[in-house]
Amino acid sequence: EDKVVQSPLSLVVHEGDTVTLNCSYEVTNFRSLLWYKQEKKAPTFLFMLTSSGIEKKSGRLSSILDKKELFSILNITATQTGDSAVYLCAVRTGNQFYFGTGTSLTVIP
Amino acid sequence: EADIYQTPRYLVIGTGKKITLECSQTMGHDKMYWYQQDPGMELHLIHYSYGVNSTEKGDLSSESTVSRIRTEHFPLTLESARPSHTSQYLCASSEYTGELFFGEGSRLTVL
């Protein structure tokens, strides 16, 4: 059975802290791994990773994939209150996307 | 910015009513999906489509049905709504290798 597991389930940090969110997976026919940010509405796309060891970066957010150990991490540096959200990891296999339960991040001023 | 639209955004209805949640995308994507998400919970795939006249059930058992008569349109129908159907329904689409684009969601409450 294909599955995606995220940790931690929730996290509370202070502004300025750096956080690392984890996503591990066990799937057949891996195509790509995606990170999304979900606030009150629909998830918004952050990164898509297909190759091991190549960091993707956007501002204070970065992510990397390890296809040998079957995991990815999402780093957020110098966190801000606007980073408070649920961060979802999804793995694409063929034509389907499997989602983890998400990590709920709360950034306190 | 993704061009995928869902209506209604919010709906409160009584038990036993028939409802259709609309989803349209203007990106020409062949693949479309419906997910159900309860507050604080993961997304569960309930239906998907690879193209016109192609529909499949997802991992989560659902009493809803879908149709795909046109590429851009993927409506979801509940023939007889029950309180257990109260949830958020997210429509999404993708190209063959790209990311999943989501609509704004339809939040359904069945009384």
Side-chain angles (χ1 to χ4, degrees):
Chain A
E1 181 182 338
D2 296 330
K3 65 177 179 181
V4 178
V5 179
Q6 292 186 246
S7 64
L9 289 182
S10 65
L11 196 54
V12 180
V13 300
H14 289 93
E15 267 191 321
D17 288 351
T18 292
V19 298
T20 298
L21 310 182
N22 304 292
C23 176
S24 63
Y25 60 91
E26 287 182 35
V27 301
T28 55
N29 195 20
F30 174 91
R31 295 287 180 90
S32 58
L33 186 144
L34 303 98
W35 284 97
Y36 286 85
K37 177 182 182 182
Q38 185 175 24
E39 296 171 272
K40 292 196 182 298
K41 297 183 289 187
T44 53
F45 173 73
L46 295 174
F47 298 111
M48 183 169 72
L49 303 154
T50 55
S51 302
S52 277
I54 299 174
E55 185 184 54
K56 293 234 175 166
K57 196 170 173 65
S58 175
R60 296 176 294 103
L61 277 67
S62 64
S63 183
I64 197 160
L65 173 67
D66 186 327
K67 290 170 74 174
K68 183 180 177 184
E69 300 298 327
L70 307 183
F71 77 92
S72 173
I73 60 171
L74 174 69
N75 279 320
I76 308 175
T77 59
T79 51
Q80 302 171 357
T81 55
D83 295 327
S84 295
V86 174
Y87 290 84
L88 297 169
C89 173
V91 172
R92 182 170 195 162
T93 67
N95 288 314
Q96 293 201 31
F97 294 80
Y98 292 90
F99 284 83
T101 53
T103 294
S104 176
L105 174 65
T106 302
V107 182
I108 301 171
Chain B
E1 187 173 324
D3 296 312
I4 179 164
Y5 307 101
Q6 289 186 240
T7 57
R9 294 286 311 282
Y10 302 93
L11 181 63
V12 180
I13 60 169
T15 296
K17 298 290 186 184
K18 177 181 177 178
I19 61 152
T20 296
L21 304 180
E22 302 286 350
C23 177
S24 295
Q25 51 96 4
T26 58
M27 297 172 283
H29 290 166
D30 283 331
K31 296 171 179 49
M32 295 189 74
Y33 309 81
W34 276 104
Y35 289 90
Q36 184 174 344
Q37 186 182 34
D38 293 321
M41 303 296 286
E42 63 195 283
L43 279 75
H44 290 285
L45 179 67
I46 50 176
H47 294 283
Y48 58 99
S49 168
Y50 296 155
V52 171
N53 295 324
S54 151
T55 62
E56 302 284 345
K57 286 187 180 291
D59 299 324
L60 182 67
S61 174
S62 173
E63 293 158 342
S64 57
T65 59
V66 291
S67 63
R68 190 85 183 278
I69 298 171
R70 303 197 315 267
T71 298
E72 63 271 21
H73 195 214
F74 191 41
L76 181 144
T77 298
L78 278 167
E79 291 292 334
S80 179
R82 295 206 302 269
S84 60
H85 295 137
T86 294
S87 189
Q88 172 161 258
Y89 294 85
L90 290 165
C91 181
S93 72
S94 76
E95 294 177 326
Y96 183 69
T97 58
E99 73 264 30
L100 204 53
F101 291 93
F102 285 91
E104 292 288 307
S106 292
R107 190 168 292 280
L108 173 65
T109 301
V110 184
L111 302 176

